[in-house]
Amino acid sequence: MPEGHTLHRVAGELNAGFAGLRTRSSSPQGRFEAAAARLDGLRMERAEAHGKHLFVEFEHDLSVHVHLGLYGSFTFGDGAPPVGAVRWRLASPTRSADLRGPNACELLEPGEVDAMSRRLGQDPLRLDADPDAAWSRVHRSRAPLATVLMDQSVIAGVGNVFRAEVLFRQRLDPFMEARFLRRREWDVLWADLVDLMSYGLRHGRIDTVRPEHEPEVMGRPPREDDHGGEVYVYRRAAMPCHVCGTAVRTRVVGARNLFWCPRCQPRSRRRVVPSAAMV
DNA sequence: GAGCCATGGAGAA
DNA sequence: TCTCCCTGGCTCC
């Protein structure tokens, strides 16, 4: 299940396997059939990720926009016949990429890619990211930090794991109003997101535990969580915090389950007005 | 086999 | 804030 780093990995694999080549497109499942027919035989120019969105550019200014949603995935192979509900197969003489279960898979005409990118915020994994632009939005927001971090028009690519983990690593109260974050805290938060997501891009998994805490985390039998890595708080509700032992708490914030340690992330006096649901 | 849950997001109300 | 869409893995019966 993908956050932004997953899409950047997919873009890299697509570029390595198909960029500059004449490709075949098909839709074994049938739901992308007309678009695949238009793409079939065209040269793929390049693939690019912006946040959780993937853009695959072909000659004649045609692009495919993919959003994986919760369940979507790409699998790469050697061109063996597709298995299961494959929405889009991209193939070269020696390689194939199968897309299954995406939230969105659509053909974009010239200009539509730019329009879509303009709606997205700053992506910590892109070289052209402008953290100052994101800061100007954060700095004015009255929403809780935990909500702003997931707003794709502010920061593109951060999902539920990175949000919980970066807030823990920075010892920030998830319910603090974003506008009260100090500039210095923002700079460190952004740098940490770049580090964490770059690691995820390189390794294909999310590991957020700092070296000084690894002895505590690794002091038990090795395992991988559902998300495929070692983390401080994500999906560890009621389990002891790796750092202080306090039970990790959880609550739905911004339509997703937020996890935090009430001791390591002490309450800010700048909290969003407390409500019954937030006490 | 049924039911539930999940790293997301658009659109309606 | 709610509903819907997309899929697969897990638990429970």
Side-chain angles (χ1 to χ4, degrees), chain A residues 215-237:
Chain A
E216 291 119 277
V217 178
M218 302 305 173
R220 50 178 167 65
R223 66 171 172 76
E224 286 192 350
D225 293 329
D226 288 348
H227 64 277
E230 284 292 358
V231 294
Y232 283 107
V233 291
Y234 175 71
R235 282 181 101 177
R236 298 194 62 249

Side-chain angles (χ1 to χ4, degrees), chain A residues 263-275:
Chain A
R263 185 168 178 188
C264 292
Q265 297 165 264
R267 294 172 68 108
S268 164
R269 285 177 299 171
R270 307 290 198 179
R271 272 197 163 195
V272 173
V273 179
S275 67

